Amino acid sequence: MLDIVILAAGMGTRMKSDLPKVLHPVAGRPMILEVLATARGLNPNQCVLVIGHGAETVREVVGPEVSFAMQAQQLGTGHAVMQAKEALQGTGAETVLVLYGDTPLIRAETLHTAIVHHRERGPMVTILSFLPDDPTGYGRIVRDEFGAVTAIVEHKEATEAQRAIRESNSGIMIFDGPWLWANLERLQLTPRGEYFLTDMIALAVSQHRPVEALVVDEREVMGINNRVQLAEASQVLWGHRREHWMTEGVTLVDPSAVWMDAEVQIGRDTTIHQNVILRGRTIVGSNCELGPNLVLENATVEDGSIVTRAEGLPARP
C-alpha cells in the first residue's frame, strides 16, 4: 500500500500575497489541486494534506475528499511530516511518499517509476534528485565510491568539493513506511529551531540502512516561490495539455495561442483556432470548429458545432 503526505503549510512570503501560496493558480487552477490530482493518479491508500498558513481557506478550496493535518507552528519539513503521523502510522502502508504543495509539475508517471524502483531496491529512503546547471543553493547528494547515497549536504555547509557536485535534492522522498514512523521522532532540532526531513538520510546511514537517489527531470521538481516561477510552471502545464489533446485527435492551428484548463474535455476531429481560451468544465464535442478570438467558460459545445461567439451556448451547472 501507498500513503502520501503533501506538505502545504508554508506562508510563501516571496509570493508577496495575502493568498496562501498553494492556492495561487497555475495554468488555471490552484497549484495544490494540481498536486492532489497527481497524487490521486497513484491510487494511494490514504492522502494527508499538512496545512498551516491560511488553513481554513485551503480546506475550503480542497474540499472534504482528503484528510488534513494541522501544523500550527512552522518548525520545518520533518515537523510537518510528524503532524501526519497520527493519521498514517496505523495504516500498515509499506511505502510513504512525501510531496510538496508548491511543486505542481511532478508527473504521476515519474512518481510511479520512482515508487517501483524504491520497492524493487528496498532502501529506507529514495530521494528524487535532479541535475541543475547551477546547483547553488540546493542541498547536494553525496555518494560513496560505489554510488550509494551517504548524505545530503546543504549548500551553506558544503565544502568546495561538495559544492562541485551537481546532483541536488528535490525534497520529494519515498520512505519505507514502518521505518519512517519508527524513526521520525528521532529527528533533532537544528540550531535554527527546525526539524529537517533531510536529516532522516543521516539517520538511515548511521543505522547502516540503504538510501538511494533517483535522478528526474529538473522541470518536474521545480518549486514555485514567486510569480515568475508561477508563470513558468503555467506555460509547462499548458504545453502538456496542448500536446495531450493533439495526440487525441484535436487540431490546434497555433498551439501556443490556445489555453485550456485541466477539466476541459475536447472531442476528436475538432479544430481550434488562435486566441481561444477554454475555462472550467467546458466540454467540446467532436468535429467542432472554435474561434478565433473566443473565450468559453463552463460551456457545452455539441458535436459538429462551429463557434465564433460564446453567446447562446449552454453552461455547465
Side-chain angles (χ1 to χ4, degrees):
M1 287 194 301
L2 171 70
D3 285 340
I4 299 178
V5 180
I6 303 176
L7 307 188
M11 294 182 63
T13 54
R14 282 180 281 177
M15 297 298 288
K16 298 183 179 179
S17 173
D18 295 330
L19 188 69
K21 179 167 73 167
V22 297
L23 297 186
H24 280 265
V26 56
R29 68 172 166 178
M31 69 174 85
I32 187 59
L33 297 186
E34 197 71 36
V35 177
L36 280 168
T38 298
R40 291 184 178 115
L42 299 171
N43 297 314
N45 169 63
Q46 192 165 344
C47 183
V48 175
L49 185 62
V50 181
I51 55 178
H53 178 68
E56 291 309 311
T57 306
V58 175
R59 284 180 188 270
E60 291 175 7
V61 171
V62 170
E65 297 181 1
V66 65
S67 298
F68 294 93
M70 185 68 182
Q71 187 187 23
Q73 291 181 285
Q74 310 298 295
L75 300 178
T77 51
H79 179 258
V81 176
M82 289 177 190
Q83 310 316 301
K85 181 176 180 179
E86 182 177 353
L88 295 180
Q89 68 173 342
T91 66
E94 69 272 15
T95 308
V96 177
L97 168 65
V98 177
L99 295 174
Y100 293 81
D102 63 353
T103 309
L105 298 183
I106 189 68
R107 292 193 182 206
E109 296 86 350
T110 299
L111 293 172
H112 176 73
T113 298
I115 290 167
V116 170
H117 174 92
H118 174 84
R119 289 173 172 169
E120 289 178 347
R121 300 280 293 180
M124 295 302 99
V125 191
T126 296
I127 307 155
L128 268 62
S129 63
F130 63 104
L131 300 172
D133 291 334
D134 180 6
T136 301
Y138 295 115
R140 305 304 205 281
I141 305 296
V142 180
R143 298 177 182 264
D144 63 19
E145 64 270 26
F146 303 107
V149 175
T150 59
I152 296 177
V153 179
E154 296 303 318
H155 180 84
K156 292 180 181 179
E157 301 171 355
T159 65
E160 287 303 313
Q162 290 169 337
R163 290 186 179 185
I165 298 171
R166 279 185 63 203
E167 188 177 8
S168 301
N169 172 37
S170 74
I172 297 173
M173 299 183 190
I174 306 167
F175 290 91
D176 176 274
W179 180 85
L180 171 67
W181 302 128
N183 288 275
L184 187 61
E185 301 294 338
R186 297 186 183 184
L187 286 177
Q188 299 294 310
L189 199 64
T190 70
R192 291 164 51 183
E194 296 180 280
Y195 298 91
F196 289 151
L197 194 61
T198 50
D199 288 346
M200 296 297 290
I201 309 307
L203 182 59
V205 171
S206 72
Q207 296 175 354
H208 305 288
R209 310 297 291 270
V211 176
E212 298 213 351
L214 187 65
V215 178
V216 300
D217 187 334
E218 178 181 358
R219 290 185 305 172
E220 290 196 42
V221 295
M222 180 180 77
I224 307 302
N225 295 302
N226 56 50
R227 310 287 180 127
V228 174
Q229 293 172 333
L230 189 68
E232 291 173 354
S234 292
Q235 293 299 329
V236 172
L237 285 175
W238 276 318
H240 291 337
R241 293 172 195 165
R242 292 163 183 150
E243 182 178 328
H244 166 76
W245 288 116
M246 287 189 287
T247 59
E248 290 296 312
V250 176
T251 295
L252 305 183
V253 174
D254 182 354
S256 65
V258 177
W259 300 268
M260 63 278 286
D261 285 355
E263 294 181 298
V264 167
Q265 297 293 317
I266 310 171
R268 64 194 305 173
D269 291 321
T270 283
T271 296
I272 303 178
H273 292 275
Q274 297 94 330
N275 300 323
V276 172
I277 303 173
L278 305 178
R279 291 176 174 162
R281 293 181 294 161
T282 292
I283 296 179
V284 180
S286 301
N287 295 291
C288 296
E289 187 170 355
L290 305 183
N293 306 319
L294 181 68
V295 179
L296 300 180
E297 184 167 2
N298 296 325
T300 299
V301 180
E302 301 295 338
D303 292 349
S305 299
I306 299 175
V307 182
T308 57
R309 295 186 303 172
E311 290 84 353
L313 288 174
R316 301 288 296 172

